[in-house]
Amino acid sequence: MNGKSAPGKMPTGTTGDTPQVLLAHHLKQLKLPTVLREYDKVARECARDGVDHPRYLLRLVELELIDRERRMVERRIKAARFPAVKSFDTFDFTAIPGLNKMLVLELARCEFVLRRENVIALGNSGTGKTHVALALGLAACQKGFTVTFTTAASLVHQLMEARDERRLLKLQRDLQAVKLLIVDELGYIPLSPTGAELLFEVFSQRYERGSTIVTSNLPFEDWTSVLGSERLTGALLDRLTHHVHILTMNGDSYRLKQSSGRRRSSNPEQAAEPIRATSETVDPETGEISAS
Ligand code: ADP
Ligand code: MG
């Protein structure tokens, strides 16, 4: 059992080790890494506690299942390409009283993904739209759905590049297959007519086939300024908003509040000064604040 052969018998590494070596090999081939890692330890625990063989096997298989689920969630999170992993645990709902907390928590159960419904988060910069989109994406990964996170600008860039390289169809199919597509930041950058059309096609192809989350700093009436054409905007909104939950996230910028708070506490001389939000601009991309 311990792998050491008695003198005169087969040398170490052949017969003496065979069961363990073969077992390790087979478990690897069967892709049961947790069983391989745990079987010896669990065997000793079961022997100590007088647990019978079926229950020993059950414990091992359950450990493998739990681990496998965890690995699959990790894989889905990696595949989603989130710029950061954020959850509702770190989201302060009191900071944005206008947001319907009940609706957000209901969405976090991800039944909307099963129903292939969409979510649109609208509001000015720094109000937590991306945070909410990331948290919903994370919840979807944990519930077993495939997720892709991208920004509108990056998605359009990818689509144009794929078109130029004659692999647009493949990318469109991939984008259609994912259960939840998150398109962040529609509105900061106006799109070219081709870009707008390609984006429209993505939404159109996903219509009633998969869920899409869109975040935007612009109210619907201003989407034409990004998409260029009124007709295209109408058709896109028609599809996107047919089965939709709208999160209205207007309020003070969380970034601005946080950094004002930080500066006040780090500079006691300024502590009594009012925060002059009007004299500062927030870069929508980086969240950096510059005085003007
Ligand atoms: P938006 O996408 O609306 O511009 P973000 O989601 O990027 O805003 O939020 C800016 C920063 O502030 C992020 O680091 C985010 O995690 C944080 N944040 C925003 N709102 C909240 C909130 N209500 N609770 C906790 N963190 C928040
Ligand atoms: Mg954002």
Side-chain angles (χ1 to χ4, degrees), residues 86 90-93 95-96 124-132 184 188 254-255:
K86 296 202 179 183
T90 56
F91 192 77
D92 176 11
F93 282 93
I96 179 118
N124 47 298
S125 178
T127 50
K129 300 182 298 295
T130 301
H131 191 133
V132 166
D184 198 22
Y188 285 124
Y254 194 83
R255 294 187 190 105

Side-chain angles (χ1 to χ4, degrees), residues 34-102:
T34 310
V35 172
L36 174 59
R37 198 181 62 235
E38 299 291 329
Y39 79 88
D40 199 36
K41 189 177 120 218
V42 179
R44 271 184 271 121
E45 287 167 4
C46 287
R48 183 195 63 204
D49 303 340
V51 173
D52 61 14
H53 284 104
R55 284 185 182 79
Y56 164 59
L57 199 53
L58 180 64
R59 271 193 201 180
L60 270 184
V61 170
E62 277 173 348
L63 286 177
E64 185 70 59
L65 275 177
I66 292 165
D67 249 17
R68 181 170 296 186
E69 183 49 35
R70 189 184 45 75
R71 289 195 300 271
M72 268 157 57
V73 170
E74 275 170 15
R75 215 170 299 149
R76 283 190 291 266
I77 291 171
K78 207 163 162 222
R81 297 179 175 274
F82 296 124
V85 177
K86 296 202 179 183
S87 74
F88 288 115
D89 294 347
T90 56
F91 192 77
D92 176 11
F93 282 93
T94 62
I96 179 118
L99 178 64
N100 184 343
K101 180 178 175 182
M102 291 299 284

Side-chain angles (χ1 to χ4, degrees), residues 71-83 85 137-138 141 144-150 158 174-175 178-182:
R71 289 195 300 271
M72 268 157 57
V73 170
E74 275 170 15
R75 215 170 299 149
R76 283 190 291 266
I77 291 171
K78 207 163 162 222
R81 297 179 175 274
F82 296 124
V85 177
L138 180 66
C141 287
F145 298 107
T146 51
V147 179
T148 294
F149 184 101
T150 181
Q158 283 178 56
D174 291 349
L175 289 166
V178 71
K179 295 288 179 209
L180 175 62
L181 176 69
I182 304 175

